[in-house]
Amino acid sequence: MPLIHEHLNAAQRVRYLRCLRQQQVESTWRQWRKQALHEGQLIFNIGRGKS
């Protein structure tokens, strides 16, 4: 990624960094959603007497 960054002009660098930040935010939310789903399934299964 640093190599890509070096080959961009100033405007492209700003856009590139903005896209990286957005990707990180989306990735974080996807991970939280995945964990919440997993925990919900675990709780459901424990409630049904399974583990």
Side-chain angles (χ1 to χ4, degrees), residues 25-44:
V25 167
E26 290 173 7
S27 177
T28 299
W29 280 109
R30 273 193 301 272
Q31 184 64 31
W32 285 355
R33 189 170 39 246
K34 182 179 174 182
Q35 289 175 353
L37 179 60
H38 181 297
E39 294 303 318
Q41 290 172 341
L42 180 65
I43 290 168
F44 179 75

Side-chain angles (χ1 to χ4, degrees), residues 1-4 7-8 12 14-15 19 29-30 38 48:
M1 291 187 341
L3 184 59
I4 292 171
H7 291 292
L8 302 174
Q12 290 172 324
V14 170
R15 190 174 348 154
C19 288
W29 280 109
R30 273 193 301 272
H38 181 297
R48 291 179 45 204

